[in-house]
């Protein structure tokens, strides 16, 4: 494991200096070393405590670094008016602003990268899919005509590792999207000093959790004859709702982008990434979402004296809209043991939670 180290030195009171060294990596494993030096008349005693924490909470720095912008979809929240999300409620150029109450699909925005202007994106509405946010003569509007440079924006981190971004125009380089009041249409382009009402948080359409599920387990260590069992295994995308997907293209792109973000956040192995990516590619090659999963029955024979289980890789995609949620079910692996313990030499069993 590669550790990234930072050192902090602090002084406690008027006596002992404490040196706190903490290391972290993007998969959110922490190692904390605390060294304390205590003076007691003629002798100096050094005590060192080593604490290793495995945590599954989301750290903003890691999230910022793992966030995949390209072709991903987001709800975009203001920092000062923290309930306010960017939205487009009509087809007029000024029918754009923020909304604080119920979630609707017209609050989802796709970030489409420009093919040659690196770091610049078109911000495209999910419902009004021909419309893009534009900085038209320093005015905040939406536009459905030809693509111009005033529709390109770049996302600049706040610098505080808090997950917020300034959204700058790529044409008028000092202009930023700002929300200057609580009203839905109190939003504009602004080129003056930086304030917190110009900061925006990008919340992906999906949050991902990777884990390994136990599909079947039978302990035949006390048995004297083989046991035959037929089990059902599902692979592909299993949706939590029968709600019709209105735009399969953006749905697929969001799922793929969120999974790539999870790979980066959790430092997934090349083998695991290949397993998930291959299954997702195969699944999404089907145009009809009813064909996104398949179920088959498999017969297993558990030998006498053996502890036997079948495990499967899964990814949960938890949608901001509950009807969006789905799970990706991939390959299975058989584990067999003479004891209660199963060896996992290739680290097939995983659990990463955002």
């Amino acid at each position: 494991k590669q550790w990234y180290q930072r050192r902090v030195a602090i002084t406690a009171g008027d006596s002992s200096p404490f040196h706190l060294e903490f290391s972290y990596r993007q998969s959110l494993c922490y190692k904390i070393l605390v060294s304390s030096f205590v003076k007691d008349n003629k002798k100096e005693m050094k005590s060192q405590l080593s604490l290793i924490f495995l945590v599954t909470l989301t750290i903003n720095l890691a999230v910022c670094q793992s966030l995949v912008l390209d072709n991903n979809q987001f709800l975009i929240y203001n920092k000062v008016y923290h309930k306010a999300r960017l939205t487009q409620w009509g087809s007029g150029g000024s029918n754009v602003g923020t909304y604080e109450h119920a979630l609707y699909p017209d609050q989802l925005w796709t970030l489409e990268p420009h093919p040659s202007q690196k770091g610049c994106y078109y911000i495209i509405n999910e419902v009004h899919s021909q419309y893009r946010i534009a900085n038209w003569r320093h005015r905040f509007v939406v536009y459905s005509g030809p693509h111009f440079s005033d529709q390109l924006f770049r996302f600049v981190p706040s610098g505080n590792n808090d997950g917020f971004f300034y959204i700058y125009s790529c044409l008028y380089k000092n202009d930023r999207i700002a929300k200057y009041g609580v009203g839905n249409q109190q939003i504009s382009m602004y080129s003056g000093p930086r304030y917190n009402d110009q900061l925006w948080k990008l919340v992906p359409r999906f949050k991902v959790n990777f884990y390994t599920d136990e599909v079947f387990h039978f302990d035949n260590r006390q048995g004297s004859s083989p046991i035959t069992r037929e089990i059902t295994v599902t692979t592909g995308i299993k949706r939590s709702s029968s709600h019709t997907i209105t735009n399969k293209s953006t749905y697929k792109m969001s799922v793929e982008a969120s999974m790539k973000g999870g790979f980066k956040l959790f430092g997934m192995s090349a083998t695991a990434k290949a397993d998930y990516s291959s299954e997702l590619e195969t699944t999404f090659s089907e145009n009809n979402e009813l064909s996104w999963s398949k179920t088959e029955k498999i017969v297993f024979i558990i030998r006498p004296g053996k502890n036997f289980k079948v495990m499967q890789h899964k990814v949960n995609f938890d949608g901001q809209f509950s009807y969006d949620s789905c799970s990706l079910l991939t390959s299975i692996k058989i584990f067999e043991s003479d004891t209660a313990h199963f060896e996992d030499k290739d680290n097939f069993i995983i659990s990463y939670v955002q």
Side-chain angles (χ1 to χ4, degrees):
K1 306 299 182 182
Q2 182 179 5
W3 296 95
Y4 301 93
Q5 296 187 340
R6 290 183 177 181
R7 294 174 181 268
V8 178
I10 61 174
T11 301
D14 58 358
S15 55
S16 307
F18 288 77
H19 296 281
L20 172 63
E21 173 185 340
F22 65 96
S23 310
Y24 62 93
R25 64 188 184 94
Q26 286 188 352
S27 61
L28 308 184
C29 290
Y30 277 66
K31 181 181 181 183
I32 298 183
L33 296 175
V34 181
S35 299
S36 63
F37 300 87
V38 182
K39 291 183 178 179
D40 183 12
N41 295 329
K42 294 183 178 180
K43 68 178 181 179
E44 180 177 329
M45 179 182 67
K46 175 182 178 180
S47 64
Q48 186 176 65
L49 301 174
S50 181
L51 307 173
I52 297 179
F53 296 92
L54 296 179
V55 295
T56 54
L57 53 103
T58 301
I59 304 301
N60 281 327
L61 176 61
V63 171
C64 282
Q65 292 175 342
S66 67
L67 197 63
V68 173
L69 300 185
D70 290 15
N71 299 311
N72 205 353
Q73 287 188 299
F74 299 93
L75 299 171
I76 304 178
Y77 285 82
N78 188 260
K79 182 170 186 177
V80 172
Y81 305 97
H82 64 281
K83 293 288 187 180
R85 302 174 296 274
L86 288 182
T87 186
Q88 181 182 347
W89 55 82
S91 56
S94 60
N95 293 158
V96 62
T98 60
Y99 187 66
E100 291 197 356
H101 302 294
L103 281 175
Y104 296 106
D106 59 11
Q107 298 162 27
L108 275 175
W109 300 88
T110 302
L111 303 189
E112 181 183 297
H114 190 275
S116 59
Q117 289 185 244
K118 187 176 181 181
C120 291
Y121 294 86
Y122 296 106
I123 306 175
I124 305 168
N125 190 260
E126 166 72 1
V127 173
H128 309 278
S129 58
Q130 299 301 312
Y131 283 79
R132 303 166 296 281
I133 291 176
N135 181 8
W136 181 66
R137 298 178 182 177
H138 309 286
R139 290 177 56 196
F140 180 80
V141 299
V142 285
Y143 182 70
S144 63
H147 291 67
F148 296 111
S149 296
D150 62 0
Q151 301 157 29
L152 289 171
F153 294 86
R154 56 193 175 93
F155 294 80
V156 178
S158 69
N160 298 318
N161 294 330
D162 56 3
F164 285 91
F165 295 83
Y166 294 102
I167 306 177
Y168 277 86
S169 168
C170 289
L171 178 63
Y172 305 107
K173 299 190 182 299
N174 291 322
D175 283 8
R176 304 175 294 281
I177 299 176
K179 182 167 176 57
Y180 55 87
V182 72
N184 289 343
Q185 291 190 285
Q186 288 185 294
I187 188 168
S188 67
M189 302 305 304
Y190 181 73
S191 60
R194 287 183 172 185
Y195 298 110
N196 283 344
D197 60 9
Q198 302 158 31
L199 288 170
W200 302 86
K201 182 182 283 289
L202 305 182
V203 177
R205 182 174 181 174
F206 295 102
K207 180 174 69 173
V208 295
N209 301 313
F210 297 83
Y211 64 103
T212 308
D213 188 35
E214 183 177 286
V215 179
F216 172 73
H217 182 201
F218 192 94
D219 189 347
N220 198 25
R221 284 179 293 164
Q222 305 303 318
S224 57
S225 59
I227 300 294
T228 301
R229 289 289 184 272
E230 181 181 76
I231 66 169
T232 299
V233 175
T234 300
T235 55
I237 286 284
K238 188 175 181 181
R239 296 185 59 218
S240 63
S241 167
S242 59
H243 186 277
T244 302
I245 300 173
T246 55
N247 189 332
K248 285 200 250 328
S249 176
T250 56
Y251 185 90
K252 291 178 181 180
M253 288 193 302
S254 295
V255 167
E256 290 169 358
S258 295
M259 189 169 72
K260 289 177 182 177
F263 290 162
K264 292 173 65 178
L265 178 63
F266 299 124
M268 302 281 287
S269 70
T271 302
K273 287 193 287 187
D275 181 31
Y276 289 119
S277 299
S278 175
E279 186 63 47
L280 189 64
E281 182 179 357
T282 300
T283 297
F284 280 160
S285 65
E286 298 285 347
N287 291 324
N288 187 347
E289 63 263 34
L290 297 178
S291 303
W292 283 357
S293 67
K294 63 178 181 180
T295 300
E296 59 181 326
K297 293 182 178 180
I298 305 176
V299 175
F300 293 101
I301 300 175
I302 302 95
R303 295 182 295 165
K306 294 296 180 180
N307 195 4
F308 183 95
K309 71 176 178 179
V310 179
M311 305 291 286
Q312 183 178 39
H313 277 162
K314 290 188 178 182
V315 193
N316 281 346
F317 296 91
D318 297 326
Q320 296 297 325
F321 302 87
S322 59
Y323 54 78
D324 266 355
S325 297
C326 64
S327 297
L328 175 67
L329 298 84
T330 71
S331 62
I332 62 171
K333 182 179 178 180
I334 295 172
F335 289 80
E336 195 175 54
S337 174
D338 296 327
T339 68
H341 173 71
F342 293 92
E343 287 190 4
D344 184 23
K345 294 180 179 179
D346 57 357
N347 298 316
F348 185 84
I349 300 175
I350 59 175
S351 178
Y352 298 117
V353 182
Q354 274 188 331

